[in-house]
Amino acid sequence: DSGVTQTPKHLITATGQRVTLRCSPRSGDLSVYWYQQSLDQGLQFLIQYYNGEERAKGNILERFSAQQFPDLHSELNLSSLELGDSALYFCASSQDRDADTQYFGPGTRLTVL
Amino acid sequence: AQSVAQPEDQVNVAEGNPLTVKCTYSVSGNPYLFWYVQYPNRGLQFLLKYITGDNLVKGSYGFEAEFNKSQTSFHLKKPSALVSDSALYFCAVRSPRSNTDKLIFGTGTRLQVFP
């Protein structure tokens, strides 16, 4: 168990809908990262937050947004969902010192029908 | 641009035999290198990392990896494979010169250990 928790574990929804994925980092970790794992794109970095502020953006669609709250948990919001958004979404956290290991949560499997 | 290559989609090995999962990288400056393992329906578990120092890094579950700067490689090894090692293995890289902390992942190598 990495200490990173994600909810829900599974999510099934329809095209056009909006969903929210939640992540709680390991105790003491200030950085939260979101990654998407899909069959065709592999593991792709979406976005990073550090202590409530956005630090870096990757291949994140405009329909997607995220935030990190004062208690350091993070939410990833996916809207106007398309079939191609079906994927496994991982959250990771680190203490944000140089070369820190990122520890991954169990992921949320999103299925868009 | 940073990149990671895992040239083998799948590696098959008999239980008790040594295993190697290959990884090569391209990054500016000295890299930070990582190996993660993913079991079915599970998240990624950290195995080991190379930051600096000894080129041979030891990690969890008896795995080790050797950093080779001249060949830009970071192959994962284990002297004696177990059936329970069967999983998907990812190599990842981060450049200290990058303005982000994101990990760049390889495409993954599926390790199958046969009894």
Side-chain angles (χ1 to χ4, degrees):
Chain A
D1 183 3
S2 67
V4 179
T5 60
Q6 288 187 249
T7 56
K9 197 169 182 178
H10 300 279
L11 204 46
I12 301 175
T13 188
T15 54
Q17 295 298 305
R18 172 189 170 94
V19 297
T20 297
L21 313 184
R22 182 188 169 103
C23 167
S24 292
R26 296 187 319 154
S27 177
D29 284 359
L30 298 177
S31 263
V32 169
Y33 311 78
W34 287 97
Y35 290 85
Q36 179 193 59
Q37 184 180 32
S38 62
L39 284 175
D40 53 343
Q41 297 288 329
L43 265 163
Q44 298 282 322
F45 168 75
L46 295 178
I47 197 164
Q48 177 195 1
Y49 277 80
Y50 170 73
N51 204 20
E53 299 289 327
E54 181 184 303
R55 172 171 274 189
K57 255 184 176 177
N59 301 322
I60 188 166
L61 300 171
E62 284 191 15
R63 301 183 284 110
F64 296 1
S65 64
Q67 52 184 329
Q68 186 179 27
F69 295 87
D71 67 352
L72 301 178
H73 91 271
S74 178
E75 292 181 356
L76 179 67
N77 301 296
L78 315 177
S79 62
S80 303
L81 285 168
E82 302 175 358
L83 296 177
D85 298 327
S86 296
L88 199 49
Y89 291 85
F90 286 113
C91 169
S93 73
S94 73
Q95 290 187 333
D96 198 53
R97 292 172 306 191
D98 192 35
D100 262 349
T101 300
Q102 293 179 25
Y103 291 92
F104 283 73
T108 293
R109 182 169 294 281
L110 173 66
T111 302
V112 182
L113 302 175
Chain B
Q2 304 171 62
S3 66
V4 176
Q6 292 182 243
E8 302 155 317
D9 289 337
Q10 180 152 331
V11 169
N12 299 317
V13 65
E15 188 174 33
N17 283 2
L19 69 87
T20 298
V21 182
K22 295 180 181 177
C23 171
T24 58
Y25 65 88
S26 173
V27 70
S28 305
N30 295 318
Y32 296 156
L33 293 158
F34 302 80
W35 275 102
Y36 287 85
V37 60
Q38 185 177 23
Y39 296 98
N41 301 314
R42 301 280 296 276
L44 278 75
Q45 294 180 32
F46 169 71
L47 279 179
L48 50 80
K49 69 180 178 184
Y50 172 83
I51 304 302
T52 188
D54 193 349
N55 289 344
L56 185 63
V57 179
K58 294 189 183 296
S60 307
Y61 312 120
F63 284 94
E64 58 188 30
E66 186 166 13
F67 171 63
N68 187 318
K69 188 171 184 177
S70 63
Q71 297 187 3
T72 62
S73 67
F74 189 56
H75 300 332
L76 182 70
K77 301 182 180 186
K78 188 174 182 181
S80 179
L82 299 172
V83 172
S84 57
D85 292 330
S86 299
L88 190 55
Y89 290 79
F90 289 95
C91 180
V93 69
R94 182 165 84 77
S95 169
R97 294 186 186 178
S98 170
N99 60 356
T100 82
D101 301 320
K102 69 178 182 181
L103 292 174
I104 304 295
F105 283 91
T107 50
T109 298
R110 187 165 300 280
L111 174 66
Q112 192 72 47
V113 181
F114 295 95

